[in-house]
Amino acid sequence: MTKKQDNILSAALELFANEGFNATSTNQIAKKAGVSEGLIFKHFKNKKGLLDALVRQVEGKLGEAFSPVIFETEPNEIIKNTIEIPFKMPDADYNFWRLQFKLKWEVEYHHPEKMKPIKDKLTSAFAELNYDSPEMEAGLLQHLIESISVNILREGKESQIAYKDFLLEKYKL
Amino acid sequence: MTKKQDNILSAALELFANEGFNATSTNQIAKKAGVSEGLIFKHFKNKKGLLDALVRQVEGKLGEAFSPVIFETEPNEIIKNTIEIPFKMPDADYNFWRLQFKLKWEVEYHHPEKMKPIKDKLTSAFAELNYDSPEMEAGLLQHLIESISVNILREGKESQIAYKDFLLEKYKL
Amino acid sequence: MTKKQDNILSAALELFANEGFNATSTNQIAKKAGVSEGLIFKHFKNKKGLLDALVRQVEGKLGEAFSPVIFETEPNEIIKNTIEIPFKMPDADYNFWRLQFKLKWEVEYHHPEKMKPIKDKLTSAFAELNYDSPEMEAGLLQHLIESISVNILREGKESQIAYKDFLLEKYKL
Amino acid sequence: MTKKQDNILSAALELFANEGFNATSTNQIAKKAGVSEGLIFKHFKNKKGLLDALVRQVEGKLGEAFSPVIFETEPNEIIKNTIEIPFKMPDADYNFWRLQFKLKWEVEYHHPEKMKPIKDKLTSAFAELNYDSPEMEAGLLQHLIESISVNILREGKESQIAYKDFLLEKYKL
DNA sequence: TATGAATGAGTATTCATTCAT
DNA sequence: GATGAATGAATACTCATTCAT
């Protein structure tokens, strides 16, 4: 991965995440990255290939963000760590997350199973804690953190911070 | 409003809602509407004007959907009706809702205050029912119905129907 | 000639004279004239027909302007009246003249013979006054008044007024 | 400056000079230049940019044509060289001149000060030769050569050649 | 690896014009 | 006489992509 390749990826991330994939031209990316337009195609074959490369990076970030839940075993900690996910999102990663959420609305990139491991973890956590409908509880919490994440990306962490304590208390954590 | 004007709006709604605003060409709209491309511009000035016309329609639908909450006075009914909003969305209106949610990601069309009346209604309902933090409770429920709505639009009503009863029970309705 | 027909002609004159024939759209004309676009075509068949109608009017103005020369018999008066033509152009007729000069550059409307009667009159005037080369003298004076006219249309009468007296003196009038 | 860039400029010059700026489409230019339409915009940004590039070339030609006047010091030679300007215009440069005169009628390109150096030179020449009103004389001669130039461009050099000797004699050169 | 020239298909939009009312 | 809906062809311009260097 050369310096210029990296420039291209950063430029594309910022533009795709904020303007959208279709609304961004390869010309804009090249200019922002300070490279020739041709180079984008040398490295990433086509515009879609550039998006694919970014999506792979996004998946890495998702893994990082989810790991405190995935590798936890204590049920209360699983729930607590899930609630904390959106609030621990590093500011520098906002564009990765924005891209991830934006792509949910572009058919070919919507993979609902990405959240599956979290859901499963939560389900077994709620089961272990003897909740009546562990799967429903897991789904509900997942809905909540998705919606909170979306709102953080749009309006900043402070706008949602109150929900963190409120939820921790609700789940008696 | 002539027949052809209406055709244009329907075609544009379907395409904007499913493919996205930028990904849809005026040529596609004209073809789907069975009119000449020029007519779009005679009636709506430009592509953006066409979107604006649709957004005005979307706002009408939003009003309709929210009215069972807005005009209700009994607190339990307010909460119940809020939970039911996404499940009462007529199938024929899906594209209006899809457009509404998609536009949230396009800066100039994101108006968070659209949901404000619902939030206020919920807050006073929870207050009347003596919940400890009525505003937080209102926010949480609002997050939930937003996330459920999004998922219904992507995967259909059945995928989320279980949450309706689960929530009604949770709030003892 | 109805009121609306007249509005169309005035609007077209102003636009053609100032923006140019090609740079003016029938839509602009209709708007400025306060009529529907269709009406232009009812009355004038097409955009070219509208120009033709104006050109006919222009020719009338030209006749008016030239008549003090054409119907004069005294040679010194002929020369004097020729020199005065551009300075007697009524301000209200500027657009007619502007159109006339602009059209010189659009091939199909350039009719050099329009100035012929003036040239002939001048030639015989200079002959009668025993100038050595009456035709050359006539041509030269014609060149001068053309150039002066053009400059008046572009920069106003005051910018050229000094030439009037200078020329009158030169020709001892 | 690549070969194709040059082709575009030549094609545009011929078309702009003869058909006019507005009457010429970028498609026509591309075809005549034997390039893709897109290339015009890569090199010149937009149609106006192409015109600007030509105008810069025109200014060069103007400089060339004026230099025998500007760099002359002997007053009679200054006048003689001025009279000869339109007759020395190389046939190959006609389109540059045609464009120059045509643009005088398009507001944003009319720069009357372009002729100022010639006028000044003539004024001092006539002053040195003790004419009564050197500035008026200069203005008159300038008017004449402008009008003669315009007529040469429209009807060819031969149509005006007689004026050259007539003027040289008039000014006793 | 990197550039910049070049393209062909496509984009939103405008145009002069027709026609039913 | 007058309108406004409607069109098909054209317009200036952009796009993702290729290729010679």
Side-chain angles (χ1 to χ4, degrees):
Chain A
M1 171 90 74
T2 73
K3 186 70 190 345
K4 297 216 170 184
Q5 260 180 85
D6 212 55
N7 286 156
I8 293 171
L9 282 169
S10 312
L13 173 61
E14 184 165 340
L15 290 165
F16 288 168
N18 293 293
E19 313 298 321
F21 178 73
N22 282 301
T24 300
S25 71
T26 50
N27 178 345
Q28 277 172 75
I29 298 168
K31 266 181 191 140
K32 180 167 268 236
V35 303
S36 70
E37 223 174 326
L39 195 58
I40 294 175
F41 294 86
K42 280 273 156 185
H43 284 314
F44 302 97
K45 187 160 163 66
N46 53 33
K47 198 183 166 189
K48 188 78 174 350
L50 183 48
L51 180 56
D52 289 338
L54 283 171
V55 166
R56 259 172 273 127
Q57 293 196 30
V58 167
E59 272 152 14
K61 295 286 172 186
L62 244 63
E64 273 177 46
F66 291 174
S67 65
V69 175
I70 304 301
F71 300 116
E72 180 59 61
T73 49
E74 209 283 308
N76 278 308
E77 281 301 298
I78 289 175
I79 297 167
K80 180 161 167 275
N81 291 347
T82 300
I83 292 168
E84 281 171 344
I85 289 173
F87 299 96
K88 287 204 167 144
M89 229 187 309
D91 289 18
D93 287 359
Y94 271 36
N95 280 336
F96 283 106
W97 286 84
R98 245 187 279 271
L99 182 60
Q100 147 78 8
F101 278 101
K102 231 172 192 163
L103 289 180
K104 280 208 188 174
W105 292 102
E106 324 254 338
V107 194
E108 62 248 277
Y109 273 102
H110 176 43
H111 299 307
E113 69 277 11
K114 269 184 209 151
M115 293 292 280
K116 193 79 188 336
I118 296 276
K119 177 101 183 275
D120 291 345
K121 265 289 181 177
L122 280 174
T123 305
S124 42
F126 282 118
E128 214 173 319
L129 295 170
N130 293 315
Y131 276 68
D132 278 350
S133 313
E135 210 193 319
M136 285 281 102
E137 292 286 351
L140 227 52
L141 184 50
Q142 192 193 321
H143 273 321
L144 279 173
I145 65 147
E146 276 211 42
S147 186
I148 287 170
S149 300
V150 166
N151 278 275
I152 285 178
L153 290 173
R154 276 208 289 260
E155 288 154 49
K157 251 170 209 169
E158 326 71 47
S159 74
Q160 306 296 313
I161 193 75
Y163 290 114
K164 190 176 125 190
D165 294 330
F166 188 64
L167 281 173
L168 290 175
E169 197 186 332
K170 250 206 160 159
Y171 290 102
K172 303 190 175 66
L173 300 165
Chain B
M1 171 87 75
T2 71
K3 186 68 188 352
K4 298 217 169 183
Q5 244 177 105
D6 214 57
N7 287 155
I8 293 171
L9 282 170
S10 311
L13 173 61
E14 183 165 341
L15 290 164
F16 287 169
N18 294 294
E19 314 297 322
F21 177 74
N22 283 301
T24 300
S25 73
T26 51
N27 177 333
Q28 280 171 72
I29 298 169
K31 268 181 188 142
K32 179 170 272 241
V35 304
S36 70
E37 220 174 327
L39 193 59
I40 295 174
F41 296 88
K42 283 269 141 125
H43 284 314
F44 302 97
K45 189 159 165 67
N46 52 34
K47 200 183 163 187
K48 186 78 171 355
L50 181 49
L51 180 56
D52 288 339
L54 284 172
V55 166
R56 259 171 275 128
Q57 294 197 31
V58 166
E59 272 152 15
K61 296 286 172 186
L62 242 63
E64 274 177 44
F66 290 176
S67 66
V69 175
I70 302 302
F71 300 115
E72 181 58 61
T73 50
E74 209 282 309
N76 279 307
E77 283 299 300
I78 289 173
I79 298 167
K80 181 163 166 274
N81 291 347
T82 301
I83 293 167
E84 282 171 344
I85 288 173
F87 299 97
K88 285 205 168 144
M89 242 190 291
D91 289 18
D93 287 0
Y94 269 37
N95 281 334
F96 283 106
W97 286 84
R98 242 188 280 272
L99 183 60
Q100 147 79 6
F101 279 101
K102 229 170 193 164
L103 288 180
K104 280 210 188 173
W105 291 101
E106 323 259 335
V107 191
E108 63 245 280
Y109 276 103
H110 175 44
H111 299 307
E113 69 277 12
K114 267 184 210 152
M115 294 290 282
K116 192 78 186 339
I118 296 276
K119 177 99 182 274
D120 291 345
K121 265 288 181 177
L122 281 174
T123 303
S124 45
F126 282 119
E128 213 172 320
L129 295 171
N130 294 314
Y131 275 67
D132 279 348
S133 313
E135 209 192 320
M136 286 282 102
E137 292 285 352
L140 226 54
L141 183 50
Q142 193 192 319
H143 273 321
L144 279 172
I145 67 146
E146 275 209 45
S147 186
I148 287 169
S149 300
V150 167
N151 278 275
I152 285 179
L153 290 172
R154 277 209 289 263
E155 288 153 48
K157 248 171 212 170
E158 325 72 46
S159 76
Q160 306 295 313
I161 192 74
Y163 290 113
K164 188 176 128 192
D165 294 329
F166 188 63
L167 282 172
L168 290 175
E169 196 185 334
K170 253 208 156 154
Y171 290 101
K172 301 185 177 68
L173 301 166
Chain C
M1 171 88 75
T2 73
K3 186 69 189 350
K4 297 217 169 184
Q5 260 179 85
D6 212 55
N7 286 156
I8 293 171
L9 283 169
S10 312
L13 173 62
E14 183 165 340
L15 290 165
F16 288 168
N18 293 294
E19 313 298 321
F21 177 73
N22 282 301
T24 299
S25 72
T26 51
N27 178 346
Q28 277 172 76
I29 298 168
K31 265 180 192 142
K32 179 167 271 237
V35 303
S36 70
E37 222 173 328
L39 195 60
I40 295 174
F41 294 86
K42 281 273 155 183
H43 284 314
F44 302 96
K45 187 161 163 67
N46 53 32
K47 198 183 166 188
K48 188 80 174 350
L50 182 49
L51 180 56
D52 289 337
L54 284 172
V55 167
R56 259 172 274 128
Q57 294 198 29
V58 166
E59 272 152 14
K61 295 287 172 186
L62 242 63
E64 273 177 45
F66 290 174
S67 66
V69 174
I70 303 301
F71 301 115
E72 181 57 62
T73 49
E74 209 284 307
N76 279 307
E77 282 300 299
I78 289 174
I79 297 167
K80 181 163 166 274
N81 291 346
T82 301
I83 291 168
E84 281 171 344
I85 289 174
F87 299 97
K88 288 204 166 144
M89 230 189 306
D91 289 17
D93 287 0
Y94 271 35
N95 280 335
F96 283 106
W97 286 84
R98 245 188 279 270
L99 182 60
Q100 147 78 6
F101 279 101
K102 231 173 192 164
L103 290 180
K104 280 208 188 174
W105 292 102
E106 325 253 338
V107 194
E108 62 247 279
Y109 274 103
H110 176 42
H111 299 307
E113 69 277 12
K114 268 184 209 152
M115 293 291 280
K116 193 79 186 337
I118 296 277
K119 177 99 181 276
D120 291 344
K121 266 288 181 179
L122 280 174
T123 304
S124 42
F126 282 119
E128 215 172 318
L129 295 170
N130 293 315
Y131 275 67
D132 279 348
S133 313
E135 209 191 321
M136 286 281 101
E137 292 285 351
L140 227 53
L141 183 50
Q142 193 192 320
H143 273 321
L144 279 172
I145 65 148
E146 276 210 43
S147 187
I148 287 170
S149 301
V150 166
N151 278 274
I152 285 178
L153 291 173
R154 276 209 289 261
E155 287 154 48
K157 251 171 209 166
E158 326 71 48
S159 74
Q160 305 297 312
I161 193 75
Y163 290 113
K164 190 176 125 192
D165 295 330
F166 189 64
L167 282 173
L168 291 175
E169 197 186 332
K170 252 211 155 150
Y171 290 101
K172 302 188 175 66
L173 301 165
Chain D
M1 171 88 76
T2 70
K3 186 69 189 349
K4 298 218 169 184
Q5 244 178 103
D6 214 57
N7 287 156
I8 293 171
L9 283 169
S10 311
L13 173 61
E14 183 165 340
L15 290 164
F16 287 169
N18 294 293
E19 314 297 322
F21 178 73
N22 283 301
T24 300
S25 73
T26 51
N27 177 333
Q28 278 172 74
I29 297 169
K31 269 182 188 140
K32 180 170 271 242
V35 304
S36 69
E37 219 175 328
L39 193 59
I40 295 175
F41 296 90
K42 282 270 141 123
H43 283 313
F44 302 97
K45 189 158 166 69
N46 52 34
K47 201 183 164 188
K48 185 77 169 358
L50 182 48
L51 180 55
D52 289 338
L54 284 172
V55 166
R56 258 172 274 127
Q57 293 196 31
V58 167
E59 272 152 15
K61 296 285 173 188
L62 243 63
E64 273 177 45
F66 291 176
S67 66
V69 175
I70 303 302
F71 300 115
E72 182 57 62
T73 50
E74 210 283 309
N76 279 306
E77 283 299 300
I78 288 174
I79 297 167
K80 181 162 166 275
N81 291 347
T82 300
I83 292 167
E84 281 172 344
I85 289 174
F87 300 96
K88 285 206 167 141
M89 241 189 292
D91 290 17
D93 286 1
Y94 270 37
N95 281 334
F96 283 107
W97 286 85
R98 242 186 281 272
L99 183 60
Q100 148 79 5
F101 279 101
K102 228 169 193 168
L103 288 181
K104 280 209 189 173
W105 291 102
E106 324 259 337
V107 192
E108 63 245 280
Y109 276 103
H110 175 45
H111 298 306
E113 70 277 12
K114 267 185 211 152
M115 295 290 283
K116 192 78 186 338
I118 296 276
K119 177 99 181 276
D120 291 345
K121 266 287 180 178
L122 281 174
T123 303
S124 45
F126 283 118
E128 213 172 319
L129 295 171
N130 294 315
Y131 275 68
D132 280 348
S133 313
E135 211 192 319
M136 285 282 101
E137 293 285 351
L140 227 53
L141 183 51
Q142 194 192 317
H143 273 321
L144 279 172
I145 66 147
E146 275 210 43
S147 187
I148 287 169
S149 300
V150 166
N151 279 274
I152 285 179
L153 290 173
R154 276 209 289 261
E155 288 153 49
K157 250 170 211 168
E158 326 72 46
S159 75
Q160 306 295 312
I161 192 74
Y163 290 112
K164 190 176 126 191
D165 294 329
F166 188 64
L167 281 172
L168 290 176
E169 197 186 330
K170 253 211 156 155
Y171 290 101
K172 303 187 176 68
L173 301 165

